[in-house]
Amino acid sequence: MLDYKKDRIAWLYLAIPLFLLIVFTFYPLVKTVLISLFTQYNSLTDDFGKFFDLMAYQHVLGDRFFLGALGNTMIIVFVSVPISTILAILIAVALNSIKPLQKVFQTIFFIPYVTNTLAIGMVFSVMFTHSSVQGLLPEGLVNTIFNLNLDWVGESAPFERWMFVVLLYNIWNALPFKILVFIGGLQSISKQYYDAAKIDAAPKNRVLTKITIPLLSPLISYIVITSFIGSFKTYESVLAVAAKPGKSLDFDRLTVVAYVYDKIDKIGMDEINFVSHYSKAAAAAVILFAIILIFTVVNLYVSKKRVHY
């Protein structure tokens, strides 16, 4: 009788989060999959139409702008996540090893985390700005310091320049939270490991690779998985740094999420293929979800082999 009462109370506690999950997570997910399969979905009347097929997926996977957006997203994910994670570990180890002004430096490194993403992106955009007509507007900070005359993020900027600025922004923006997490992990490592290393006169690089990294591996795994998921959903950083004056992106600068937003903004159907723009957006969102799910499963599998709990 007592166990039954405890179970009932536990289910009561779980009822509210389960209800919220069903309404705000599972229902939108199921409906998105259905919209992607009903290729003539009408977003104004919420009418799914009669055609149930894979035409939306076929058109999205054959759309060069989607493939370009997927390529941009992959570059952001596989460049910014490893670099920012390694830098965060090194900075956290350095901060943890100094005692004077440690809290001051931690606060300085954490400030970008509490600053609005778009505001930081606009600052980056101004730093790398370039006047299309020489002398009409002042050059950005980077061009001024290095005496350059390059368009980094403007409409005439080549791929490697605007992508470099976006990657720089993503790495810099990701550092504060990762540093904070790693410092917390470092401070929880028992000092006896480092005392034993001192007695053995172990060099610093061996201490880092044989003691610090293995004992931090659960946190590193958590940071890598969540960073991969977040980077796959990159949108605001590209919009803030490399958008046109009206805050819209060129098609060759889209990420997958930006591609989805672009399709959602359009009402009706494609006049050539008669596939709903909303169904294409849903298909792109489902493809992104599948990619994130696959990478997350792979990361979890690798974590089981490499992480020391």
Side-chain angles (χ1 to χ4, degrees), residues 96-120:
N96 195 51
S97 65
I98 60 172
K99 297 305 174 188
L101 301 176
Q102 187 186 62
K103 297 295 181 187
V104 175
F105 284 117
Q106 287 180 11
T107 304
I108 291 172
F109 276 100
F110 193 67
I111 284 175
Y113 187 71
V114 295
T115 308
N116 183 275
T117 304
L118 288 175
I120 299 173

mmCIF file of all heavy atoms in Angstrom, residues 96-120:
data_model
loop_
_atom_site.group_PDB
_atom_site.id
_atom_site.type_symbol
_atom_site.label_atom_id
_atom_site.label_comp_id
_atom_site.label_asym_id
_atom_site.label_seq_id
_atom_site.Cartn_x
_atom_site.Cartn_y
_atom_site.Cartn_z
ATOM 1 N N ASN A 96 43.218 27.826 -13.822
ATOM 2 C CA ASN A 96 43.186 27.054 -12.578
ATOM 3 C C ASN A 96 44.555 27.005 -11.890
ATOM 4 O O ASN A 96 44.639 26.756 -10.692
ATOM 5 C CB ASN A 96 42.714 25.629 -12.877
ATOM 6 C CG ASN A 96 42.316 24.893 -11.628
ATOM 7 O OD1 ASN A 96 41.523 25.397 -10.827
ATOM 8 N ND2 ASN A 96 42.878 23.711 -11.422
ATOM 9 N N SER A 97 45.613 27.233 -12.673
ATOM 10 C CA SER A 97 46.959 27.140 -12.101
ATOM 11 C C SER A 97 47.429 28.450 -11.477
ATOM 12 O O SER A 97 48.428 28.461 -10.767
ATOM 13 C CB SER A 97 47.954 26.696 -13.181
ATOM 14 O OG SER A 97 48.043 27.688 -14.186
ATOM 15 N N ILE A 98 46.736 29.558 -11.775
ATOM 16 C CA ILE A 98 47.137 30.836 -11.170
ATOM 17 C C ILE A 98 46.199 31.152 -10.006
ATOM 18 O O ILE A 98 45.006 30.868 -10.067
ATOM 19 C CB ILE A 98 47.105 31.988 -12.200
ATOM 20 C CG1 ILE A 98 45.695 32.172 -12.781
ATOM 21 C CG2 ILE A 98 48.144 31.757 -13.293
ATOM 22 C CD1 ILE A 98 45.559 33.401 -13.631
ATOM 23 N N LYS A 99 46.744 31.711 -8.972
ATOM 24 C CA LYS A 99 45.932 32.043 -7.802
ATOM 25 C C LYS A 99 45.584 33.527 -7.730
ATOM 26 O O LYS A 99 44.433 33.874 -7.474
ATOM 27 C CB LYS A 99 46.661 31.591 -6.521
ATOM 28 C CG LYS A 99 46.873 30.084 -6.445
ATOM 29 C CD LYS A 99 45.563 29.323 -6.588
ATOM 30 C CE LYS A 99 45.799 27.815 -6.654
ATOM 31 N NZ LYS A 99 44.558 27.078 -6.987
ATOM 32 N N PRO A 100 46.567 34.446 -7.974
ATOM 33 C CA PRO A 100 46.214 35.868 -7.903
ATOM 34 C C PRO A 100 45.261 36.257 -9.050
ATOM 35 O O PRO A 100 45.467 35.839 -10.190
ATOM 36 C CB PRO A 100 47.566 36.587 -8.065
ATOM 37 C CG PRO A 100 48.595 35.563 -7.878
ATOM 38 C CD PRO A 100 48.005 34.254 -8.231
ATOM 39 N N LEU A 101 44.229 37.000 -8.719
ATOM 40 C CA LEU A 101 43.272 37.540 -9.695
ATOM 41 C C LEU A 101 42.536 36.448 -10.495
ATOM 42 O O LEU A 101 42.021 36.703 -11.579
ATOM 43 C CB LEU A 101 43.979 38.489 -10.671
ATOM 44 C CG LEU A 101 44.687 39.700 -10.051
ATOM 45 C CD1 LEU A 101 45.412 40.490 -11.125
ATOM 46 C CD2 LEU A 101 43.699 40.585 -9.312
ATOM 47 N N GLN A 102 42.491 35.214 -9.946
ATOM 48 C CA GLN A 102 41.827 34.131 -10.669
ATOM 49 C C GLN A 102 40.351 34.449 -10.924
ATOM 50 O O GLN A 102 39.838 34.256 -12.024
ATOM 51 C CB GLN A 102 41.943 32.832 -9.874
ATOM 52 C CG GLN A 102 41.419 31.622 -10.627
ATOM 53 C CD GLN A 102 41.397 30.363 -9.778
ATOM 54 O OE1 GLN A 102 40.710 30.301 -8.768
ATOM 55 N NE2 GLN A 102 42.172 29.372 -10.173
ATOM 56 N N LYS A 103 39.660 34.969 -9.899
ATOM 57 C CA LYS A 103 38.234 35.283 -10.039
ATOM 58 C C LYS A 103 38.024 36.404 -11.052
ATOM 59 O O LYS A 103 37.026 36.417 -11.788
ATOM 60 C CB LYS A 103 37.656 35.696 -8.673
ATOM 61 C CG LYS A 103 37.701 34.592 -7.629
ATOM 62 C CD LYS A 103 36.819 33.424 -8.012
ATOM 63 C CE LYS A 103 36.845 32.333 -6.949
ATOM 64 N NZ LYS A 103 36.106 31.122 -7.392
ATOM 65 N N VAL A 104 38.955 37.375 -11.061
ATOM 66 C CA VAL A 104 38.835 38.497 -12.012
ATOM 67 C C VAL A 104 38.920 37.979 -13.445
ATOM 68 O O VAL A 104 38.097 38.322 -14.313
ATOM 69 C CB VAL A 104 39.943 39.541 -11.753
ATOM 70 C CG1 VAL A 104 39.892 40.636 -12.826
ATOM 71 C CG2 VAL A 104 39.795 40.137 -10.376
ATOM 72 N N PHE A 105 39.917 37.118 -13.718
ATOM 73 C CA PHE A 105 40.069 36.568 -15.064
ATOM 74 C C PHE A 105 38.875 35.695 -15.442
ATOM 75 O O PHE A 105 38.415 35.714 -16.592
ATOM 76 C CB PHE A 105 41.368 35.759 -15.158
ATOM 77 C CG PHE A 105 42.598 36.601 -15.262
ATOM 78 C CD1 PHE A 105 43.568 36.574 -14.269
ATOM 79 C CD2 PHE A 105 42.794 37.455 -16.343
ATOM 80 C CE1 PHE A 105 44.699 37.367 -14.351
ATOM 81 C CE2 PHE A 105 43.926 38.249 -16.444
ATOM 82 C CZ PHE A 105 44.885 38.206 -15.449
ATOM 83 N N GLN A 106 38.363 34.923 -14.473
ATOM 84 C CA GLN A 106 37.183 34.094 -14.759
ATOM 85 C C GLN A 106 35.995 34.970 -15.161
ATOM 86 O O GLN A 106 35.250 34.648 -16.081
ATOM 87 C CB GLN A 106 36.817 33.252 -13.541
ATOM 88 C CG GLN A 106 37.775 32.090 -13.289
ATOM 89 C CD GLN A 106 37.380 31.275 -12.065
ATOM 90 O OE1 GLN A 106 36.301 31.443 -11.520
ATOM 91 N NE2 GLN A 106 38.263 30.408 -11.629
ATOM 92 N N THR A 107 35.825 36.092 -14.444
ATOM 93 C CA THR A 107 34.722 37.012 -14.765
ATOM 94 C C THR A 107 34.900 37.603 -16.151
ATOM 95 O O THR A 107 33.937 37.702 -16.933
ATOM 96 C CB THR A 107 34.664 38.144 -13.723
ATOM 97 O OG1 THR A 107 34.552 37.568 -12.429
ATOM 98 C CG2 THR A 107 33.479 39.057 -13.984
ATOM 99 N N ILE A 108 36.129 38.002 -16.483
ATOM 100 C CA ILE A 108 36.400 38.590 -17.804
ATOM 101 C C ILE A 108 36.071 37.593 -18.911
ATOM 102 O O ILE A 108 35.432 37.933 -19.912
ATOM 103 C CB ILE A 108 37.875 39.032 -17.898
ATOM 104 C CG1 ILE A 108 38.119 40.234 -16.972
ATOM 105 C CG2 ILE A 108 38.244 39.385 -19.342
ATOM 106 C CD1 ILE A 108 39.567 40.623 -16.843
ATOM 107 N N PHE A 109 36.488 36.325 -18.725
ATOM 108 C CA PHE A 109 36.235 35.318 -19.753
ATOM 109 C C PHE A 109 34.749 34.962 -19.832
ATOM 110 O O PHE A 109 34.289 34.492 -20.866
ATOM 111 C CB PHE A 109 37.052 34.049 -19.469
ATOM 112 C CG PHE A 109 38.462 34.124 -19.995
ATOM 113 C CD1 PHE A 109 39.507 34.429 -19.156
ATOM 114 C CD2 PHE A 109 38.729 33.912 -21.338
ATOM 115 C CE1 PHE A 109 40.812 34.505 -19.641
ATOM 116 C CE2 PHE A 109 40.017 33.986 -21.832
ATOM 117 C CZ PHE A 109 41.065 34.288 -20.981
ATOM 118 N N PHE A 110 33.997 35.171 -18.744
ATOM 119 C CA PHE A 110 32.585 34.776 -18.739
ATOM 120 C C PHE A 110 31.661 35.878 -19.264
ATOM 121 O O PHE A 110 30.511 35.613 -19.618
ATOM 122 C CB PHE A 110 32.155 34.395 -17.318
ATOM 123 C CG PHE A 110 30.829 33.688 -17.273
ATOM 124 C CD1 PHE A 110 30.689 32.414 -17.823
ATOM 125 C CD2 PHE A 110 29.724 34.285 -16.694
ATOM 126 C CE1 PHE A 110 29.472 31.756 -17.788
ATOM 127 C CE2 PHE A 110 28.500 33.632 -16.655
ATOM 128 C CZ PHE A 110 28.379 32.368 -17.205
ATOM 129 N N ILE A 111 32.147 37.120 -19.338
ATOM 130 C CA ILE A 111 31.293 38.241 -19.755
ATOM 131 C C ILE A 111 30.622 38.009 -21.112
ATOM 132 O O ILE A 111 29.417 38.281 -21.267
ATOM 133 C CB ILE A 111 32.111 39.557 -19.753
ATOM 134 C CG1 ILE A 111 32.312 40.032 -18.310
ATOM 135 C CG2 ILE A 111 31.401 40.653 -20.555
ATOM 136 C CD1 ILE A 111 33.206 41.240 -18.186
ATOM 137 N N PRO A 112 31.335 37.507 -22.142
ATOM 138 C CA PRO A 112 30.648 37.308 -23.441
ATOM 139 C C PRO A 112 29.446 36.373 -23.364
ATOM 140 O O PRO A 112 28.522 36.490 -24.165
ATOM 141 C CB PRO A 112 31.753 36.695 -24.324
ATOM 142 C CG PRO A 112 33.025 37.155 -23.705
ATOM 143 C CD PRO A 112 32.767 37.203 -22.229
ATOM 144 N N TYR A 113 29.441 35.441 -22.368
ATOM 145 C CA TYR A 113 28.345 34.481 -22.269
ATOM 146 C C TYR A 113 27.022 35.156 -21.904
ATOM 147 O O TYR A 113 25.950 34.678 -22.291
ATOM 148 C CB TYR A 113 28.690 33.403 -21.234
ATOM 149 C CG TYR A 113 27.684 32.280 -21.185
ATOM 150 C CD1 TYR A 113 27.596 31.355 -22.225
ATOM 151 C CD2 TYR A 113 26.821 32.138 -20.104
ATOM 152 C CE1 TYR A 113 26.683 30.334 -22.180
ATOM 153 C CE2 TYR A 113 25.897 31.112 -20.065
ATOM 154 C CZ TYR A 113 25.831 30.212 -21.102
ATOM 155 O OH TYR A 113 24.901 29.197 -21.061
ATOM 156 N N VAL A 114 27.093 36.253 -21.158
ATOM 157 C CA VAL A 114 25.864 36.937 -20.728
ATOM 158 C C VAL A 114 25.520 38.108 -21.648
ATOM 159 O O VAL A 114 24.651 38.911 -21.334
ATOM 160 C CB VAL A 114 25.982 37.432 -19.274
ATOM 161 C CG1 VAL A 114 26.100 36.271 -18.318
ATOM 162 C CG2 VAL A 114 27.157 38.379 -19.107
ATOM 163 N N THR A 115 26.226 38.215 -22.761
ATOM 164 C CA THR A 115 25.953 39.282 -23.719
ATOM 165 C C THR A 115 25.128 38.724 -24.872
ATOM 166 O O THR A 115 25.301 37.578 -25.278
ATOM 167 C CB THR A 115 27.280 39.854 -24.271
ATOM 168 O OG1 THR A 115 28.120 40.193 -23.177
ATOM 169 C CG2 THR A 115 27.025 41.101 -25.108
ATOM 170 N N ASN A 116 24.220 39.536 -25.386
ATOM 171 C CA ASN A 116 23.328 39.096 -26.461
ATOM 172 C C ASN A 116 24.124 38.656 -27.699
ATOM 173 O O ASN A 116 25.058 39.345 -28.127
ATOM 174 C CB ASN A 116 22.393 40.250 -26.825
ATOM 175 C CG ASN A 116 21.398 39.852 -27.887
ATOM 176 O OD1 ASN A 116 21.700 39.907 -29.066
ATOM 177 N ND2 ASN A 116 20.223 39.431 -27.457
ATOM 178 N N THR A 117 23.733 37.515 -28.267
ATOM 179 C CA THR A 117 24.447 36.943 -29.414
ATOM 180 C C THR A 117 24.466 37.893 -30.604
ATOM 181 O O THR A 117 25.504 38.106 -31.242
ATOM 182 C CB THR A 117 23.781 35.624 -29.836
ATOM 183 O OG1 THR A 117 23.750 34.745 -28.722
ATOM 184 C CG2 THR A 117 24.534 34.979 -30.983
ATOM 185 N N LEU A 118 23.305 38.486 -30.910
ATOM 186 C CA LEU A 118 23.241 39.383 -32.064
ATOM 187 C C LEU A 118 24.083 40.636 -31.840
ATOM 188 O O LEU A 118 24.705 41.152 -32.771
ATOM 189 C CB LEU A 118 21.783 39.771 -32.339
ATOM 190 C CG LEU A 118 20.899 38.664 -32.918
ATOM 191 C CD1 LEU A 118 19.461 39.134 -33.024
ATOM 192 C CD2 LEU A 118 21.406 38.234 -34.284
ATOM 193 N N ALA A 119 24.119 41.114 -30.582
ATOM 194 C CA ALA A 119 24.912 42.318 -30.282
ATOM 195 C C ALA A 119 26.405 42.036 -30.502
ATOM 196 O O ALA A 119 27.117 42.853 -31.113
ATOM 197 C CB ALA A 119 24.661 42.761 -28.842
ATOM 198 N N ILE A 120 26.867 40.863 -30.040
ATOM 199 C CA ILE A 120 28.273 40.507 -30.245
ATOM 200 C C ILE A 120 28.558 40.345 -31.739
ATOM 201 O O ILE A 120 29.596 40.791 -32.245
ATOM 202 C CB ILE A 120 28.618 39.196 -29.504
ATOM 203 C CG1 ILE A 120 28.393 39.360 -28.001
ATOM 204 C CG2 ILE A 120 30.066 38.799 -29.758
ATOM 205 C CD1 ILE A 120 28.552 38.080 -27.231
#
